[in-house]
């Protein structure tokens, strides 16, 4: 917790006031007379930063009281304007990356269903690969990921040229490792045992490391986009 607070202090002077004066004082100071827009108000949940209420909307994520309501309202309206521009120009990749991270894969799926991104095309796999790299919780949308990845047609485009070359250089059988604390049968493994140990022990959870011998044909993809030597196995 101390490390997190130190990082926040370095990046945001408002949080320094929050920690120094107390959450209530800062919340009162940075609230304004403007009401949140109804769709933002409907997106408020408990349990944000420092256990505050937070907005969890596809276009706006933020903790209540951390910024004025007018800031969140303006952010929503500006993003909506930009989305209209991207929609009109059929710039669906740009459209997608205006969406907040936890919601992107759902919007991607909708764009595919609407035939705005061609299913299993090169663009489909390239965008999906970027979403995978940026995702912080695959398990949250497990069934949706299952559906999007189940057909491997043209899935080599999921990998960069460099990653595909490395994957092709691997033996037909090799050892992979998965560090975990809760979800044992996840999709992400690594070739690096030390990295797996790091995942098992992060956040002080004293997790486990699973070791597995796999055949290359069992692997969906290899990616080093996060410098984790990641092997993706769907079964």
């Amino acid at each position: 917790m101390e490390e997190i607070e130190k990082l926040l202090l370095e990046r945001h002077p408002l949080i320094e006031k929050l920690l120094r004066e107390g959450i209530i004082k800062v919340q009162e100071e940075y609230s304004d007379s403007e009401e949140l827009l109804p769709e933002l108000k409907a997106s408020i949940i408990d349990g944000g930063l420092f256990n505050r209420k937070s907005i969890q909307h596809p276009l706006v994520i933020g903790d209540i009281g951390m910024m004025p309501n007018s800031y969140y309202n303006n952010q929503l309206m500006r993003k909506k304007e930009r989305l209209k521009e991207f929609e009109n120009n059929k710039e669906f990749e740009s459209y997608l990356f205006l969406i907040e991270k936890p919601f992107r894969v759902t919007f991607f799926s909708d764009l595919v269903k609407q035939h705005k991104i061609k299913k299993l095309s090169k663009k489909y796999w390239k965008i999906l690969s970027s979403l995978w790299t940026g995702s912080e919780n695959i398990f949250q949308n497990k069934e949706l990921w299952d559906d999007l990845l189940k057909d491997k047609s043209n899935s080599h485009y999921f990998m960069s040229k460099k990653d595909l070359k490395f994957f092709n250089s691997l033996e037909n059988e090799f050892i992979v490792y998965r560090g975990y604390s809760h979800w044992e049968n996840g999709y992400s493994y690594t070739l690096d045992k030390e990295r797996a140990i790091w995942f098992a022990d992060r956040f002080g959870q004293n997790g486990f490391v699973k070791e597995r011998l796999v055949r290359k044909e069992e692997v969906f993809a290899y990616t080093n986009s996060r410098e984790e030597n990641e092997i993706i196995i769907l079964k």
Side-chain angles (χ1 to χ4, degrees):
M1 187 62 182
E2 290 181 1
E3 292 182 3
I4 294 174
E5 289 187 359
K6 182 179 178 182
L7 181 61
L8 292 173
L9 287 173
E10 292 173 352
R11 294 189 176 183
H12 209 308
L14 174 57
I15 298 176
E16 182 179 2
K17 284 180 71 70
L18 184 151
L19 295 172
R20 188 174 67 244
E21 298 180 12
I23 292 171
I24 300 300
K25 290 182 180 180
V26 175
Q27 183 170 349
E28 290 173 351
E29 183 174 343
Y30 282 88
S31 294
D32 54 22
S33 59
E34 185 171 323
E35 287 283 328
L36 279 175
L37 292 170
E39 63 185 284
L40 293 182
K41 192 177 291 186
S43 302
I44 294 175
I45 65 170
D46 291 324
L49 182 64
F50 300 107
N51 207 29
R52 301 161 68 87
K53 291 184 177 181
S54 68
I55 300 168
Q56 295 292 318
H57 184 280
L59 295 176
V60 178
I61 290 180
D63 289 292
I64 298 298
M66 292 291 291
M67 298 297 287
N69 292 340
S70 56
Y71 172 84
Y72 296 126
N73 289 341
N74 290 335
Q75 186 179 18
L76 178 65
M77 299 310 296
R78 286 198 306 270
K79 282 193 172 183
K80 282 190 170 184
E81 290 175 3
R82 293 292 288 158
L83 287 180
K84 285 182 181 178
E85 292 177 18
F86 292 141
E87 178 84 23
N88 292 336
N89 295 326
K90 298 183 178 180
E91 298 176 21
F92 298 117
E93 187 170 354
S94 298
Y95 175 103
L96 193 63
F97 286 96
L98 267 184
I99 307 299
E100 295 285 355
K101 280 185 179 182
F103 300 93
R104 284 179 188 170
V105 70
T106 301
F107 274 72
F108 173 81
S109 179
D110 289 341
L111 290 174
V112 172
K113 289 175 182 176
Q114 296 164 17
H115 305 290
K116 293 174 179 177
I117 296 175
K118 186 178 178 182
K119 190 172 184 179
L120 306 178
S121 64
K122 181 177 181 179
K123 178 177 284 190
Y124 173 97
W125 290 115
K126 290 298 183 185
I127 295 175
L128 201 56
S129 179
S130 294
L131 294 181
W132 180 279
T133 299
S135 179
E136 296 166 358
N137 189 356
I138 296 294
F139 184 76
Q140 185 177 15
N141 296 290
K142 180 182 182 300
E143 292 183 2
L144 183 53
W145 279 104
D146 284 344
D147 183 63
L148 293 169
L149 297 173
K150 68 182 179 182
D151 189 336
K152 294 176 65 175
S153 301
N154 298 320
S155 63
H156 56 280
Y157 289 125
F158 189 94
M159 294 182 267
S160 68
K161 290 182 179 179
K162 182 177 180 180
D163 288 344
L164 180 60
K165 182 178 180 180
F166 177 83
F167 177 70
N168 289 336
S169 73
L170 294 174
E171 300 292 334
N172 288 328
E173 289 188 336
F174 50 89
I175 299 289
V176 294
Y177 309 90
R178 173 170 173 78
Y180 68 95
S181 56
H182 301 295
W183 190 22
E184 177 182 356
N185 297 315
Y187 300 144
S188 294
Y189 291 76
T190 177
L191 297 170
D192 184 346
K193 188 173 184 179
E194 291 301 315
R195 173 58 64 174
I197 293 172
W198 181 86
F199 274 109
D201 293 340
R202 65 176 173 166
F203 311 131
Q205 293 182 341
N206 297 319
F208 308 92
V209 174
K210 179 179 180 180
E211 185 174 318
R212 178 175 171 182
L213 177 67
V214 297
R215 299 187 305 276
K216 187 178 286 188
E217 62 203 51
E218 298 176 79
V219 174
F220 175 79
Y222 164 82
T223 174
N224 198 34
S225 56
R226 293 183 282 205
E227 297 185 351
E228 294 172 356
N229 281 307
E230 183 177 8
I231 294 288
I232 301 170
I233 303 174
L234 303 181
K235 294 182 181 180

